[in-house]
Amino acid sequence: MSWLAFRQHRGRMIGMGLIFVLWGGLCGMELYAPVLSGMSAMVFAYIPLVFGVFLGAPIVSREYERGTHQFAWTQSVSRSQWFLWQVVVALSLALATTAYISTLVGFVTPEFTLEVDSVMYPLTGSVPYAWAVFAVATGLLWSAITRRTTVAMAAAFFGVAASQFIAEGMRNRSEAVSHWTAADIWILQSVEAGILVAIAGVMGLAAWWLTARRDPA
Amino acid sequence: MIDFTLDRKSGTATYAQLIQQVEHALRLGLLMPGDQLPTAKQVVGRLAINPNTVLRAYRELEARGLVEALPGLGTFVRRSLVAPHDPELEASLGEWVATAREAGLGDDDMRSLLEFALSGHRREIA
Amino acid sequence: MIALEAAGLGKRYRDTWALREVFLSVPQGRVVALVGPNGAGKSTLMRVAVGLSRPTTGRLRVFGEEPYGETLERVAYVAQDKPLYDEFTVGEMIRVGERLNPRFDAKGATRRLNDLNVPGRARVHTLSGGQRAQVAITLAVAKRADLIVLDEPLASLDPLARHEVMEGLMMAVADTGMTVLLSSHVIAELEEVCDHLVLLSRGRVQVAGDIEEILQGHRLLVGPAGTVPGGSYEVIGEHRTERQTSLLARLSDPVHDPRWTARELSLQDVVLGYMRSPDVTHYPPPVLAERGDVA
């Protein structure tokens, strides 16, 4: 089962490979041209959108569109197992890419103080991983609901962008009340990550239910 | 070994066609006692028909005492159907054909008369 | 052993019933022709049989189990459009089959596709329609399932490919004795391969049973116009001219009437006759089907 999921993700693995190279180049440029400092961190905000659109949204709908679900789901493997492996591979790709980028950016970014509105906030601690999981789950849910890849991609894009916007607003609001310091900002980050992962879990369950329990029509 | 063919338009059941072909070959002497019939799989590989159909035809032939299935070896002919040569019978049929032709009957007319005679039906003239 | 059994099976899509009160009992080892006009519910019945769709009412069992989970090992399915992963090579498709099915015969599948001149290195999207069908059906056969379900396997194939598909399938039947469920709206293509018939009409079973028994039980009665043959039979369809009446009839006893002749019918004649009279059903009631289980 894992073989099929990995083989089907080959194209997307190449895509993530390109991101690896791109970020490598970007960070390299920052090292040699301090004017550009902080750029790779700023562009990172778009990465969850990429995860949602290219890793989450195609998972189920691509099968429906090509009719291959009728092949995949009538082998000797349960639909739930099939679903699990697809999600595991997509999540692994998203998390590996996140780990690579956050490490690389941390390496090239000069000393900084972690604040709520700093560009490094989304790149430190558990926050970037939580967003990766959340973005994939958003794409996945839309994929399972709409069964159309393009529609799911658009919905995932706007869904993740809107969530980022809302999250930023809520962060600023809590900052206005609590004035997070570098020492205790991890609490805010953990709360944010916890909420994101919880929502992602619910979305993932819903997507599983829609895939494994609903008729593929 | 004989090679089966299938007349898909004949309307005759496939197993019946197989039986007919074996009997025909037995009558013509193409199959003689001791000869082996093709295995079900060989027939299936050629005609793309249900293997059970072949087995059924062979069972029927066995029931008629014409062939014998030897487990693990195959199905073999037991008895020939080559008709004994009967000059008297052939001559009287020849005479009948000549008379019928004189009476203006064509080949097809004669065939249908023979068919009727064989099926034991009496022709009803309205 | 009963390979496929349905009891009171119904399937509704929104507000239309694709299947209603379907009772079926197909013994193991049969090659079943599932026929009926377009929209009769053939594909729906097949999808329920392989666990893709769930029944709205009643139940369906494959070898006594619901077609989910481990039972899927015993069932193989090829959908009508022969879905495969377009970007994979044929060899990779075989590998998928091997990875996803414990009983999969990868060597056999490779050999069979070689014999059919389908190269293992070819990408699926470059295959012709016939080759694609061969790959899909070969994979299903290689799964070594006990029941193989093929939805319109011969549609859009040329005569040679049809022959090859059927030949491969029948060879597999000869080897394994598996049960086959084939659908088609062209009964003529199934006549030589099937020994069991299920005729669906408007989501219900109109005729079901071993083909030989069905053929034995039906005759075309031809006789003079204005008379009725004596005997016990049910008329499925009739055709009248000024002088002659032809009745497609299901006989309970042979008809003994010197003015009438009883002709044997081909499967196609019987099926067409029923399809023209969709309200006539000939199927043993569920009680009989249940009794068949025990035997």
Side-chain angles (χ1 to χ4, degrees):
Chain A
M1 188 63 245
S2 52
W3 189 85
L4 173 63
F6 275 108
R7 175 61 186 84
Q8 284 188 279
H9 277 82
R10 188 190 278 177
R12 282 162 271 181
M13 285 180 192
I14 295 169
M16 292 302 124
L18 285 177
I19 291 184
F20 271 55
V21 174
L22 206 74
W23 243 268
L26 210 60
C27 293
M29 270 156 58
E30 273 184 47
L31 276 182
Y32 292 102
V35 207
L36 297 171
S37 185
M39 204 177 82
S40 60
M42 256 163 64
V43 188
F44 178 77
Y46 299 106
I47 284 293
L49 296 174
V50 173
F51 292 159
V53 172
F54 293 104
L55 293 178
I59 290 179
V60 201
S61 50
R62 243 168 48 114
E63 307 276 341
Y64 284 120
E65 283 169 344
R66 299 161 164 214
T68 44
H69 63 289
Q70 301 169 97
F71 173 86
W73 299 349
T74 51
Q75 307 301 307
S76 312
V77 170
S78 75
R79 241 186 267 184
S80 301
Q81 233 178 315
W82 174 90
F83 179 85
L84 187 72
W85 274 105
Q86 296 287 334
V87 174
V88 162
V89 174
L91 275 181
S92 311
L93 272 177
L95 292 174
T97 310
T98 305
Y100 168 80
I101 296 178
S102 69
T103 312
L104 205 62
V105 172
F107 182 68
V108 297
T109 306
E111 287 291 306
F112 61 94
T113 322
L114 191 57
E115 287 171 353
V116 168
D117 54 359
S118 78
V119 285
M120 285 308 284
Y121 177 91
L123 270 153
T124 40
S126 50
V127 172
Y129 300 98
W131 275 102
V133 173
F134 176 81
V136 170
T138 306
L140 176 63
L141 179 61
W142 283 114
S143 189
I145 291 174
T146 65
R147 301 180 174 187
R148 322 268 322 159
T149 306
T150 44
V151 180
M153 281 177 159
F157 182 89
F158 290 111
V160 175
S163 306
Q164 285 178 323
F165 190 71
I166 293 167
E168 200 184 337
M170 287 171 74
R171 249 181 253 141
N172 291 340
R173 217 184 253 192
S174 91
E175 167 69 11
V177 180
S178 319
H179 301 294
W180 299 102
T181 64
D184 58 11
I185 201 164
W186 64 270
I187 299 173
L188 176 66
Q189 286 190 313
S190 305
V191 170
E192 180 173 337
I195 292 172
L196 285 170
V197 170
I199 297 174
V202 173
M203 290 195 291
L205 268 179
W208 165 79
W209 190 87
L210 289 170
T211 307
R213 290 285 172 263
R214 200 169 56 155
D215 276 1
Chain B
M1 193 175 285
I2 67 162
D3 215 1
F4 290 109
T5 55
L6 214 55
D7 181 356
R8 282 160 214 271
K9 280 178 250 153
S10 71
T12 311
T14 308
Y15 85 94
Q17 290 192 37
L18 300 183
I19 293 174
Q20 281 170 7
Q21 285 170 35
V22 171
E23 287 187 337
H24 190 66
L26 289 172
R27 262 186 220 106
L28 294 178
L30 294 173
L31 278 177
M32 297 301 278
D35 285 352
Q36 191 181 1
L37 295 183
T39 64
K41 228 182 136 175
Q42 283 167 335
V43 180
V44 169
R46 234 184 87 64
L47 300 181
I49 57 172
N50 189 325
N52 297 326
T53 308
V54 186
L55 297 175
R56 216 197 123 198
Y58 285 8
R59 270 202 307 277
E60 178 71 35
L61 287 164
E62 196 171 13
R64 295 184 192 180
L66 298 175
V67 303
E68 185 178 20
L70 301 176
L73 290 174
T75 307
F76 296 88
V77 175
R78 273 184 72 184
R79 191 152 74 74
S80 170
L81 283 178
V82 177
H85 190 52
D86 187 338
E88 216 172 294
L89 207 60
E90 281 164 27
S92 71
L93 185 63
E95 267 170 47
W96 180 81
V97 169
T99 323
R101 190 153 285 150
E102 263 168 47
L105 267 65
D107 287 6
D108 286 338
D109 299 323
M110 283 185 253
R111 260 186 218 112
S112 47
L113 273 177
L114 187 64
E115 283 290 320
F116 268 112
L118 290 173
S119 62
H121 282 278
R122 298 239 170 276
R123 196 129 81 115
E124 277 193 3
I125 298 154
Chain C
M1 179 81 190
I2 297 300
L4 182 72
E5 186 196 24
L9 175 67
K11 178 71 195 175
R12 191 182 57 204
Y13 292 115
R14 294 180 197 277
D15 46 0
T16 52
W17 287 87
L19 293 173
R20 277 204 106 151
E21 289 161 54
V22 168
F23 288 88
L24 266 184
S25 180
V26 176
Q28 193 169 10
R30 296 291 198 277
V31 181
V32 185
L34 179 60
V35 297
N38 289 329
K42 303 188 292 283
S43 291
T44 304
L45 178 60
M46 291 185 141
R47 295 170 68 86
V48 174
V50 299
L52 278 175
S53 294
R54 277 165 198 265
T56 311
T57 62
R59 62 184 171 85
L60 181 140
R61 296 276 158 87
V62 175
F63 303 105
E65 310 275 344
E66 293 203 314
Y68 315 113
E70 291 193 356
T71 309
L72 284 177
E73 279 181 32
R74 308 187 66 184
V75 186
Y77 173 61
V78 178
Q80 195 172 336
D81 36 6
K82 283 99 185 174
L84 297 169
Y85 293 106
D86 281 332
E87 71 274 26
F88 285 24
T89 63
V90 172
E92 282 173 328
M93 282 310 307
I94 294 176
R95 188 122 182 247
V96 173
E98 198 177 9
R99 293 292 177 125
L100 264 49
N101 301 288
R103 304 196 224 166
F104 197 81
D105 177 17
K107 272 189 196 153
T110 311
R111 201 181 322 117
R112 169 83 183 146
L113 290 173
N114 261 333
D115 291 347
L116 292 166
N117 287 320
V118 181
R121 271 177 299 165
R123 299 224 170 246
V124 167
H125 68 85
T126 63
L127 300 177
S128 69
Q131 288 177 319
R132 193 186 177 93
Q134 295 287 13
V135 174
I137 292 167
T138 302
L139 290 177
V141 169
K143 189 177 176 183
R144 291 198 203 156
D146 300 313
L147 169 68
I148 181 165
V149 178
L150 306 172
D151 197 350
E152 296 272 1
L154 303 180
S156 75
L157 293 188
D158 61 62
L160 178 63
R162 281 171 192 229
H163 185 88
E164 282 172 347
V165 163
M166 278 305 182
E167 180 248 357
L169 204 58
M170 290 303 115
M171 292 289 259
V173 171
D175 279 337
T176 64
M178 66 181 177
T179 312
V180 183
L181 182 60
L182 289 167
S183 75
S184 178
H185 54 273
V186 189
I187 178 72
E189 349 180 282
L190 304 178
E191 220 163 345
E192 300 113 39
V193 291
C194 296
D195 46 26
H196 197 91
L197 174 79
V198 175
L199 172 58
L200 285 183
S201 163
R202 300 172 185 167
R204 291 171 202 262
V205 175
Q206 204 182 355
V207 184
D210 284 338
I211 288 173
E212 215 182 307
E213 282 168 28
I214 292 172
L215 291 180
Q216 282 307 314
H218 291 80
R219 286 289 183 272
L220 183 69
L221 303 175
V222 183
T227 66
V228 172
S232 84
Y233 54 87
E234 186 190 355
V235 175
I236 314 299
E238 55 181 66
H239 182 74
R240 293 175 194 281
T241 63
E242 264 175 46
R243 296 208 174 169
Q244 205 178 44
T245 302
S246 310
L247 304 173
L248 174 62
R250 180 162 64 90
L251 308 183
S252 312
D253 295 302
V255 169
H256 296 293
D257 191 325
R259 292 167 306 171
W260 287 74
T261 51
R263 290 190 201 146
E264 291 194 5
L265 289 155
S266 70
L267 184 61
Q268 187 162 7
D269 296 331
V270 176
V271 167
L272 281 177
Y274 275 98
M275 275 161 81
R276 287 195 190 104
S277 322
D279 296 324
V280 185
T281 62
H282 158 42
Y283 182 63
V287 189
L288 282 179
E290 295 291 337
R291 208 187 300 157
D293 286 1
V294 185

